[in-house]
């Protein structure tokens, strides 16, 4: 069992930055691949970024590539999402998720989810 708690969301102007954190607790959390997903009002939850258990591999949605960076600190059991050059269309609830399998962009491959943190980008 893995518990995930996100933090760092808030209100920011377009062009600004935020750093989200996802604190993991439970057994062997460092063995999980981790992902960030987001869900905007009226839309389905979509993949944002993922990182392998050792941090050696990462992947991004085309919409955030070059602006967002995912990283992890296994000593602190924490995964981060650095978001730069934010746009109004980045407004959503951002959730982190954990998977025992290989890197995936598919929601169903992630067994554990956090409650999410709201990110609002004003124009």
């Amino acid at each position: 069992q893995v518990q995930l708690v996100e933090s760092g969301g808030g209100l920011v102007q377009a062009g600004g930055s935020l750093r989200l954190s996802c604190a993991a607790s439970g057994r062997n959390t460092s063995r999980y691949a981790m992902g960030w997903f987001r869900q905007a009002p009226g839309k389905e939850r979509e993949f944002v970024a993922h990182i392998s258990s050792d941090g050696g591999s990462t992947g991004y949605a085309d919409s955030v590539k070059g602006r967002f960076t995912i990283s992890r600190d296994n000593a602190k059991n924490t995964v981060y999402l650095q978001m730069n050059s934010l746009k109004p269309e980045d407004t959503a609830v951002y959730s982190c998720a954990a998977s025992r399998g290989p890197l995936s962009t598919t929601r169903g491959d992630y067994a554990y989810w956090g409650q999410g943190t709201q990110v609002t980008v004003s124009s």
Side-chain angles (χ1 to χ4, degrees), residues 1-7 20-36 51-53 71-80 95-100 110 112-115:
Q1 191 79 6
V2 174
Q3 294 79 41
L4 304 171
V5 179
E6 303 92 337
S7 61
L20 305 183
S21 298
C22 172
S25 60
R27 292 189 64 183
N28 302 318
T29 57
S30 63
R31 297 182 182 180
Y32 286 76
M34 299 294 293
W36 284 98
I51 188 167
S52 58
S53 57
S71 61
R72 68 190 297 163
D73 184 340
N74 283 340
K76 295 183 178 179
N77 295 322
T78 302
V79 178
Y80 305 98
S95 300
C96 65
S99 170
R100 285 301 303 267
Y110 290 81
Y112 303 103
W113 291 82
Q115 291 297 311

Side-chain angles (χ1 to χ4, degrees), residues 7-80:
S7 61
L11 174 64
V12 63
Q13 289 188 332
S17 298
L18 283 174
R19 188 177 81 155
L20 305 183
S21 298
C22 172
S25 60
R27 292 189 64 183
N28 302 318
T29 57
S30 63
R31 297 182 182 180
Y32 286 76
M34 299 294 293
W36 284 98
F37 290 76
R38 67 186 182 186
Q39 187 168 21
K43 296 187 177 181
E44 290 191 355
R45 184 177 287 178
E46 65 174 3
F47 167 76
V48 175
H50 56 200
I51 188 167
S52 58
S53 57
D54 65 358
S57 297
T58 59
Y60 299 91
D62 288 343
S63 59
V64 307
K65 201 171 294 183
R67 299 188 298 122
F68 290 11
T69 302
I70 189 171
S71 61
R72 68 190 297 163
D73 184 340
N74 283 340
K76 295 183 178 179
N77 295 322
T78 302
V79 178
Y80 305 98

